[in-house]
Amino acid sequence: MALVNLIFILLFLVSLVYSKVTLENSGFESPPTNLTTNSTSQFILLDTKTNRIPGWSFNGTVWNVTADENVSLPENGHGVQLGPNGMINQTFKQDENYDFILTFTLAPSSPDCANSTSVNVSGPSASEVFFFRESLGTEMWQTYAYSLWNQIGLMSLQIQSTSTSNNNSNNITCWPIVDTILVTGIESPRWYSDNGFVNSGFEVGPAFIGNSSQGVLFEADSSYPYSSVQSPLQYWTILGIVKYIDSKHYAVPRGGRAVELVSGNLLK
């Protein structure tokens, strides 16, 4: 009975840490407005004057994308491709003092662009460029996390294209596809484990994408490379690249979450 009570208390404490932010149309499954009835193309160019993406504002060149055998997306649904100067933005309001962690999916527009796809992610006070890394997963899409810091009131999230040319002789310009964008609020004060270290079991971190077995990639923050505050993994400094994994899809020694050191380290 005592063990059951202890487990309940621990689960209750962890539940107090999180606050899920509900972004509108986070997976882009609500289609853009005013699409023509015969719009069956996999890539549909959107017009800022005619089309509207529910929940999102956009500028520049943006396509609505449907997954197929050449473009892989979570649950084989829809996403958006960001072309020249392409940008999507959503603003949400928060009245609580949380640290906000972004989870998002990045995919190349074709296999030829697997190593030449990147986006710039911006929060209230910082931005970071993320590159698709073909060698770090089994799918043609990957999930990343990024710390947006904390801000009470209106918060703006922006994802923008970066132009990258591949190394093939055809010199294709590769534009990124983004999908499944989640934001998790982590409450302060921090939850301490029984050994006195903050988040020693890595239980406090970003959201996972649905039933994905890919895990979530963390990269060192270029603006704050040795900061444990500007980090998607609460109070750990990310050096290089690490993967956040869960016990549902991986063998985790203890608890429900862990980290895999891909090509980096963690610093306490």
Side-chain angles (χ1 to χ4, degrees):
M1 186 65 180
L3 178 60
V4 173
N5 289 337
L6 176 60
I7 293 174
F8 175 79
I9 291 172
L10 290 176
L11 290 175
F12 177 71
L13 288 173
V14 173
S15 69
L16 291 178
V17 172
Y18 288 99
S19 172
K20 183 178 180 181
V21 176
T22 303
L23 295 180
E24 184 180 352
N25 196 22
S26 62
F28 303 101
E29 294 307 314
S30 296
T33 60
N34 298 320
L35 294 181
T36 58
T37 56
N38 61 350
S39 297
T40 58
S41 172
Q42 182 186 10
F43 293 84
I44 302 175
L45 181 63
L46 303 180
D47 188 325
T48 56
K49 297 180 180 179
T50 306
N51 306 117
R52 185 180 70 86
I53 304 174
W56 298 88
S57 61
F58 71 94
N59 288 301
T61 304
V62 176
W63 290 271
N64 182 67
V65 180
T66 302
D68 70 354
E69 63 275 7
N70 294 319
V71 175
S72 178
L73 294 173
E75 300 181 357
N76 291 317
H78 297 84
V80 291
Q81 184 178 31
L82 306 177
N85 300 312
M87 180 272 290
I88 57 172
N89 177 279
Q90 185 164 155
T91 300
F92 57 95
K93 183 178 181 180
Q94 284 299 310
D95 298 323
E96 302 291 340
N97 186 23
Y98 290 106
D99 292 336
F100 293 96
I101 308 299
L102 170 71
T103 304
F104 71 98
T105 298
L106 176 64
S109 56
S110 71
D112 287 338
C113 290
N115 292 310
S116 306
T117 296
S118 59
V119 292
N120 184 283
V121 177
S122 300
S125 58
S127 65
E128 188 70 29
V129 176
F130 291 86
F131 295 86
F132 182 85
R133 303 181 187 278
E134 184 180 16
S135 62
L136 300 184
T138 58
E139 299 283 353
M140 281 303 293
W141 51 267
Q142 291 171 350
T143 304
Y144 296 83
Y146 179 59
S147 174
L148 300 175
W149 281 34
N150 57 6
Q151 178 174 306
I152 297 177
L154 294 177
M155 290 189 64
S156 181
L157 166 64
Q158 177 178 298
I159 302 179
Q160 187 170 6
S161 64
T162 59
S163 175
T164 308
S165 298
N166 67 7
N167 295 322
N168 296 337
S169 58
N170 53 12
N171 197 31
I172 299 173
T173 300
C174 299
W175 299 109
I177 299 174
V178 294
D179 190 14
T180 315
I181 301 172
L182 307 174
V183 175
T184 302
I186 299 177
E187 187 180 13
S188 298
R190 312 297 200 254
W191 174 52
Y192 285 76
S193 66
D194 55 1
N195 63 11
F197 283 97
V198 182
N199 199 19
S200 65
F202 310 112
E203 298 301 313
V204 181
F208 290 93
I209 299 292
N211 295 321
S212 169
S213 61
Q214 291 281 92
V216 182
L217 293 175
F218 300 160
E219 296 190 5
D221 192 294
S222 61
S223 300
Y224 306 92
Y226 295 102
S227 172
S228 61
V229 177
Q230 178 71 4
S231 170
L233 188 60
Q234 189 182 84
Y235 264 53
W236 288 92
T237 300
I238 309 299
L239 303 176
I241 302 174
V242 302
K243 181 183 289 187
Y244 195 46
I245 58 178
D246 62 357
S247 58
K248 183 177 179 181
H249 300 99
Y250 293 82
V252 173
R254 181 183 178 184
R257 301 183 176 195
V259 294
E260 176 186 338
L261 303 180
V262 178
S263 61
N265 298 290
L266 294 175
L267 179 65
K268 193 66 171 175

